[in-house]
Each structure stands twice: as C-alpha cells, then as structure tokens.
Amino acid sequence: MNRLYIIFFLIPIIIIGCKSRDIDEKIISQSINSLNMNIYSSDGIKLLSIKSPYSNYKKAINIFNLKETTIMLFKNNKGEYVITSDNSKLSNNNKLIELNGNVEVKTLIEDDKLYSNSFIWNIENSEFLLVGNVIFINNSITLSSDKAIFNKTNNIIEFFNPVKYKVTNNKGGYEVNSQNAFYNIKTKSVTFTSKEEGVRSKIYF
C-alpha cells in the first residue's frame, strides 16, 4: 500500500515539472510571424531591412532565427542590394548576420547576381564573407570559387584561390582557371593575380 501512495505522490510532481518547463521555454523563446525589422546606424541612417514569414526570438541570448529571409541593404536611404536565403541568424545585439542555404545577393540597378552556401556580415564593417559554391554571374562573365569577400564600400568582390572564370560574348567565349580574382561592379572589370608567378592582368567588359 505504501508503494502505491509513493507512485501517486510522484505523478503530480512530474506533471507540474513538465508544465513549468513549457512555460519557461515560452518566456525565453518567442515565435514571430511576418517579421519586418529595420536596423539603423548610431547616426540614425537606415542600413537594412529584414523580412521573414517565420522567425523565433530567444530572449535569454538575444538571437533571432529566421526562415526564408529577405534583406534589403540601403545606401543614402535607397535600396542597393537584396539578399535572400533559406535560413538566417541575427545575433550580437543585431550586429551580426549569418545566412545559410541558397544565398543570393543581387543589385537593384545592374543585372549582377552572387550566390553562395553561406553569408556572414558584421554590419559595423563593410565586408561580406561568402563561403561555399560562390558564383558571380552577369551578362558577360561567370566567376566561381569556394570563398569570396564582397566589399560594399568600393563594390569589389575578391575571389580566392582556386578561381574559375568564364567569359562570353557575341563571338563565343573562353574559360580559364586563376589563383585570385577581383571584380569591380561599378567599372565592370575583373583583375586576375598570381602571387607565385607575379602575374597580373585586367579585363574590361
């Protein structure tokens, strides 16, 4: 009989314990539908907007986890780049952005597109890090590597060794491998470098 009393006494404790855990998780973690967030600089300048149909905010560690993310980057209060991905994370007091899965960066003016598996950006800096199957495509050239850094200030994309590039035009095209390449979005020029041989070449399109 004493054993039965012990069993019945433990069951309410277990049930209450589970409910308390669920409540704690709801307090420290909040689901958000249709997130629309704007981030500004310390001077009040709009830097970017983030949209996601579904996101989760972990209050204890101040991290947003977002699905199907769309990010608009601004310059002089005008949209300059649009970045999309399957998933993303916003951390470090909304200063560090990490995107993963089918990342696409495209300009709003030119027909330039940049793809990668992952994308990391500290909004206090002007450089984006892209890693994994990095591919840049426009009407004239295709550049690909496993790693690239996109400098938003000077609009130059640096592709790291090994780099494959393909040039196409009305007369045909050619494909070559290189160690490093720098593409300037504004001037539409690509510079190839080889540290070992000291070779440097530049092509305009």
Side-chain angles (χ1 to χ4, degrees):
M1 181 67 67
N2 291 335
R3 291 181 180 178
L4 292 176
Y5 283 127
I6 293 172
I7 293 173
F8 287 126
F9 181 71
L10 287 175
I11 290 175
I13 295 177
I14 294 172
I15 294 174
I16 293 171
C18 292
K19 288 184 178 179
S20 178
R21 185 180 301 173
D22 291 340
I23 293 171
D24 289 341
E25 288 180 354
K26 289 180 180 179
I27 292 174
I28 64 176
S29 180
Q30 180 182 2
S31 297
I32 304 172
N33 294 325
S34 301
L35 174 71
N36 192 345
M37 177 190 298
N38 295 321
I39 297 178
Y40 297 83
S41 69
S42 57
D43 299 327
I45 299 173
K46 189 175 183 179
L47 299 176
L48 63 131
S49 65
I50 303 176
K51 293 183 179 180
S52 171
Y54 174 80
S55 61
N56 180 269
Y57 176 59
K58 296 183 178 180
K59 185 177 181 180
I61 54 179
N62 193 22
I63 289 179
F64 285 90
N65 290 302
L66 306 97
K67 302 286 186 180
E68 301 175 16
T69 314
T70 300
I71 298 176
M72 174 84 74
L73 305 185
F74 291 86
K75 184 177 181 180
N76 299 325
N77 291 322
K78 293 183 179 180
E80 188 176 24
Y81 295 98
V82 175
I83 308 171
T84 57
S85 69
D86 293 339
N87 305 288
S88 67
K89 181 170 72 173
L90 183 62
S91 60
N92 192 22
N93 198 26
N94 297 340
K95 294 179 181 179
L96 182 64
I97 300 174
E98 301 172 69
L99 296 92
N100 291 285
N102 296 311
V103 178
E104 179 182 351
V105 183
K106 60 182 179 181
T107 61
L108 294 178
I109 300 175
E110 305 292 340
D111 190 23
D112 297 331
K113 294 182 180 180
L114 185 61
Y115 302 93
S116 69
N117 292 340
S118 64
F119 173 104
I120 301 174
W121 178 38
N122 185 329
I123 66 172
E124 294 183 338
N125 301 324
S126 61
E127 292 184 340
F128 312 144
L129 173 63
L130 300 101
V131 178
N133 297 317
V134 181
I135 302 174
F136 173 82
I137 300 175
N138 65 12
N139 295 328
S140 304
I141 188 172
T142 298
L143 284 156
S144 61
S145 70
D146 198 53
K147 176 184 175 182
I149 292 179
F150 180 11
N151 191 311
K152 186 173 177 288
T153 301
N154 57 21
N155 291 293
I156 292 178
I157 307 171
E158 179 180 3
F159 297 86
F160 291 86
N161 183 33
V163 180
K164 294 181 179 180
Y165 59 95
K166 183 177 181 181
V167 179
T168 58
N169 52 40
N170 295 331
K171 298 180 181 180
Y174 59 89
E175 185 172 352
V176 186
N177 296 337
S178 174
Q179 286 194 353
N180 292 76
F182 300 83
Y183 183 80
N184 190 315
I185 293 178
K186 295 300 182 182
T187 63
K188 294 185 178 296
S189 64
V190 59
T191 302
F192 305 102
T193 61
S194 176
K195 295 181 180 179
E196 294 180 358
E197 301 175 2
V199 176
R200 185 180 182 91
S201 59
K202 196 169 189 177
I203 301 175
Y204 291 89
F205 303 95

